[in-house]
């Protein structure tokens, strides 16, 4: 290219994704290959340009499984937290929607939202609704500041109870999915 007297571009036919490795080899006589690039494809591309590389001149990056595994576990944990927050928010919105409907019938004595009220408000079938509950198992819906503010905004306090005859352990969503959300006027 240095012998060329005019400013016309040089056309080189080759695989554009692999050509940078040809340039690297031509410059350094060594190529560092990322894990997503085929060693045999680069060797083939080098041969097309009349360059013969030896195995030790093509260095493949090692996969660092320990760091990859740690990152995957971190993302898995973050994903679980995101799913849990989304499920809690969805249940809260269902409680709010069902409460608005039930409050229209209230004669000042308060009302109770049952499981089917929530499922209906969310428009979910039984299986999806059960899966939603399993994601938030162990959480306390009454600790949601959003729900407490919502209840107070129209003159109610909110609590959670089990249907009659069932034990309530800490007012949490659980596997039985049978909590009642009780709205009582102030």
């Amino acid at each position: 290219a240095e012998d060329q007297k005019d400013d016309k571009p040089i056309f080189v036919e080759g695989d554009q994704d692999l050509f940078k490795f040809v340039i690297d080899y031509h410059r350094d006589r060594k190529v560092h290959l990322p894990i997503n690039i085929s060693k045999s494809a680069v060797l083939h591309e080098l041969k097309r340009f009349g360059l013969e590389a030896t195995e030790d001149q093509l260095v493949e990056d090692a996969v660092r499984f320990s760091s990859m595994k740690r990152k995957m576990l971190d993302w898995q944990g973050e994903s679980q937290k995101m799913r849990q927050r989304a499920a809690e928010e969805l249940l809260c919105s269902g409680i709010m929607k069902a409460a608005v409907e039930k409050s229209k019938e209230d004669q000042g004595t308060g009302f109770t939202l049952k499981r089917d009220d929530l499922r209906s408000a969310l428009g979910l079938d039984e299986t999806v609704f059960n899966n939603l509950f399993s994601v938030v198992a162990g959480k306390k819906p009454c600790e949601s500041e959003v729900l407490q503010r919502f209840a107070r905004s129209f003159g109610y306090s909110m609590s959670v109870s089990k249907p009659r005859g069932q034990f309530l352990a800490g007012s949490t969503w659980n596997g039985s999915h049978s909590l009642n959300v009780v709205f009582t006027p102030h």
Side-chain angles (χ1 to χ4, degrees):
E2 292 174 4
D3 296 341
Q4 191 172 343
K5 302 284 185 217
D6 56 29
D7 291 335
K8 292 181 185 175
I10 298 172
F11 177 75
V12 178
E13 185 175 341
D15 185 320
Q16 66 182 13
D17 294 329
L18 300 177
F19 190 68
K20 62 184 170 189
F21 301 109
V22 172
I23 297 296
D24 286 348
Y25 179 80
H26 188 67
R27 181 183 55 232
D28 303 326
R29 293 294 183 232
K30 193 166 212 158
V31 178
H32 290 275
L33 297 173
I35 61 172
N36 62 333
I37 299 296
S38 164
K39 190 177 201 176
S40 62
V42 172
L43 283 170
H44 176 74
E45 194 70 12
L46 288 169
K47 284 180 184 176
R48 288 180 58 192
F49 291 100
L51 301 169
E52 293 291 329
T54 62
E55 287 287 320
D56 61 324
Q57 290 174 310
L58 298 181
V59 180
E60 294 177 293
D61 284 345
V63 178
R64 293 175 192 90
F65 286 109
S66 61
S67 65
M68 284 177 54
K69 183 177 180 181
R70 187 175 51 252
K71 286 179 184 178
M72 288 175 13
L73 290 173
D74 289 347
W75 278 109
Q76 183 180 14
E78 187 60 32
S79 174
Q80 175 62 28
K81 289 176 192 173
M82 289 170 58
R83 259 192 327 275
Q84 198 162 28
R85 279 192 302 271
E88 288 173 34
E89 289 175 11
L90 184 58
L91 279 172
C92 286
S93 72
I95 289 170
M96 291 177 193
K97 184 176 179 184
V100 167
E101 290 302 312
K102 281 279 193 171
S103 69
K104 293 175 184 175
E105 305 163 8
D106 183 31
Q107 303 294 317
T109 58
F111 56 91
T112 299
L113 297 177
K114 298 182 189 261
R115 179 180 193 286
D116 285 340
D117 297 323
L118 293 177
R119 191 174 64 76
S120 176
L122 292 169
L124 300 175
D125 68 28
E126 193 70 24
T127 302
V128 173
F129 190 67
N130 287 338
N131 288 339
L132 181 64
F133 263 96
S134 68
V135 172
V136 296
K139 293 293 182 176
K140 296 182 179 183
C142 285
E143 290 179 357
S144 166
E145 182 57 34
V146 172
L147 283 178
Q148 290 298 337
R149 272 196 328 265
F150 168 75
R152 285 191 304 268
S153 73
F154 61 98
Y156 289 88
S157 60
M158 187 189 83
S159 61
V160 175
S161 69
K162 283 271 194 173
R164 214 170 251 246
Q166 292 187 13
F167 174 67
L168 178 63
S171 302
T172 60
W173 303 115
N174 66 17
S176 70
H177 319 309
S178 57
L179 292 175
N180 293 330
V181 182
V182 180
F183 287 81
T184 310
H186 285 293

